[in-house]
Every structure is written in C-alpha cells, then in structure tokens.
Amino acid sequence: MLLPAVVNAITFGTKRAFHGFLRATRKQLVEMGLTAARFDLLSVLVRCRPRELCAPGMRQSAIRRMLGVTAPVVTRMVRALERLGLVRRWRERDWDRRQVLVALTEAGERCILRAREVMLPAVSRMVLRSICFGKHRNADARFRHMDTLESYLRSLRKRFGDTATLYYPWGHPDD
C-alpha cells in the first residue's frame, strides 16, 4: 500500500513563488540578453565602474562570495559574459597572480544599467502589490510589509546557510 506523499506547504509555496518570480522577470531579461544569474553578477560589477575611484576590476573570488556560489559557477558565468562582450578578465599582476580580475566593458555597463533601470522598478511594484494587500500606495504600509518580508527572507537565508552578501537596496532609510 502506498502512503500519500506529504509535502510541506511552506516549502512548496516558497519554491513556487521563486519559480513564479523567475518566470515573471525572464522575458524582460532575455530581451536584454540576460538571465537572472547574469543580472546578479553584472550588478556586483556595476558597483565599481572604471571611471570611479576604485581599483579596476573585482576578483572572481570576491564575486563568488557575494553571489554565494562556487568558483566553477563564477568561472562559467564570467566566460559566457566575456563571450557576449559584457565583461573582460585578466590576471592580477602586482599581488597574487593566481587571482583573476573581472570588469564590465562599456557594453556591459550599458546593459546592466539599462536592465536595472527597467527591472528594479517593475520588480518592486510586483512585490509590493503582492505583499501589501491593496495598500501598496501607502508609504507606511509599504515600509512595514517590506521590512517584514526582508526579515523573513534574511532569517530563511541564514537558517539554510546562504553565504551570499549581494544586497539590493529596497528603500529602507538605512540603505
């Protein structure tokens, strides 16, 4: 006799929300030649553009830590983005020659800035309408609901051992 499979409703709901979120954002990202993972990696790099006062490029190891993924994943992603002309990479010369540095190209910078301009407001609206129960136009309600959501997500990430440090500001006064 087979017993019915028991599925945890929260686990299933969280997974379905994640997949729904990817499905809702995929079309716009694909139109810009990106995936959600590529968007995140380019977002890491846009923090230190060549014209700003910071060392050119970011170590692949730092990208790996910020995204919370393995070294081979970052290597594959960077290689694909390099083929698309969105990033360039080179070996560090002065300190540790084992390190690979990655930076946005001009095309990469244009791509991620445009993607962020299009995606972040749309995603914000989508999330706020989903969690504010019709009160998404009220600034206090938006803040309370976003703060609650962020605290739940932070707790889940911590509990499940997520090591990523990339943070997208959502409008909290401390951001």
Side-chain angles (χ1 to χ4, degrees), residues 120-140:
L120 297 181
V123 167
S124 180
R125 278 192 305 276
M126 182 187 341
V127 169
L128 289 172
R129 286 187 176 138
S130 299
I131 68 170
C132 289
F133 311 105
K135 299 192 186 307
H136 60 277
R137 297 191 196 283
N138 178 307
D140 290 334

Side-chain angles (χ1 to χ4, degrees), residues 5 9 20 56 58 63 85 103 114 121 123-124 158 165:
M58 177 180 277
I63 296 169
R114 176 71 180 130
V123 167
S124 180
K158 182 179 179 183
T165 60

Side-chain angles (χ1 to χ4, degrees), residues 152-167:
Y152 288 150
L153 293 173
R154 186 175 33 255
S155 180
L156 285 167
R157 289 190 302 264
K158 182 179 179 183
R159 185 70 156 136
F160 291 113
D162 181 33
T163 60
T165 60
L166 178 61
Y167 178 75

Side-chain angles (χ1 to χ4, degrees), residues 54-85:
C54 56
M58 177 180 277
R59 286 182 171 182
Q60 274 192 199
S61 57
I63 296 169
R64 177 188 59 75
R65 283 190 297 280
M66 287 187 81
L67 295 177
V69 297
T70 64
V73 167
V74 172
T75 300
R76 281 193 306 273
M77 288 172 61
V78 167
R79 189 177 300 134
L81 290 167
E82 188 176 38
R83 279 194 299 267
L84 292 171

Side-chain angles (χ1 to χ4, degrees), residues 8-21 153 156 160:
N8 181 302
I10 293 172
T11 302
F12 184 75
T14 303
K15 179 181 75 171
R16 297 310 308 158
F18 168 73
H19 286 289
F21 187 85
L153 293 173
L156 285 167
F160 291 113

Side-chain angles (χ1 to χ4, degrees), residues 3-175:
L3 296 174
V6 177
V7 176
N8 181 302
I10 293 172
T11 302
F12 184 75
T14 303
K15 179 181 75 171
R16 297 310 308 158
F18 168 73
H19 286 289
F21 187 85
L22 289 179
R23 188 174 42 258
T25 58
R26 185 173 292 128
K27 182 180 179 197
Q28 284 182 312
L29 286 170
V30 166
E31 287 172 1
M32 292 178 253
L34 297 175
T35 63
R38 288 176 180 175
F39 180 89
D40 288 340
L41 193 146
L42 294 175
S43 291
V44 167
L45 294 173
V46 80
R47 294 168 179 246
C48 190
R49 299 191 294 260
R51 290 184 293 281
E52 296 176 355
L53 293 175
C54 56
M58 177 180 277
R59 286 182 171 182
Q60 274 192 199
S61 57
I63 296 169
R64 177 188 59 75
R65 283 190 297 280
M66 287 187 81
L67 295 177
V69 297
T70 64
V73 167
V74 172
T75 300
R76 281 193 306 273
M77 288 172 61
V78 167
R79 189 177 300 134
L81 290 167
E82 188 176 38
R83 279 194 299 267
L84 292 171
L86 301 177
V87 301
R88 63 185 183 90
R89 60 186 169 150
W90 67 96
R91 290 243 175 243
E92 197 170 86
R93 289 192 184 113
D94 298 330
W95 302 101
D96 185 350
R97 294 191 49 76
R98 296 171 298 175
Q99 295 293 329
V100 174
L101 297 168
V102 182
L104 291 171
T105 61
E106 286 185 26
E109 185 176 346
R110 281 192 309 273
C111 179
I112 189 58
L113 292 177
R114 176 71 180 130
R116 288 170 65 112
E117 179 184 305
V118 169
M119 294 300 297
L120 297 181
V123 167
S124 180
R125 278 192 305 276
M126 182 187 341
V127 169
L128 289 172
R129 286 187 176 138
S130 299
I131 68 170
C132 289
F133 311 105
K135 299 192 186 307
H136 60 277
R137 297 191 196 283
N138 178 307
D140 290 334
R142 276 196 314 262
F143 179 82
R144 281 194 313 278
H145 289 295
M146 280 299 295
D147 191 51
T148 300
L149 175 62
E150 177 58 29
S151 68
Y152 288 150
L153 293 173
R154 186 175 33 255
S155 180
L156 285 167
R157 289 190 302 264
K158 182 179 179 183
R159 185 70 156 136
F160 291 113
D162 181 33
T163 60
T165 60
L166 178 61
Y167 178 75
Y168 288 104
W170 55 268
H172 189 280
D174 294 338
D175 286 342

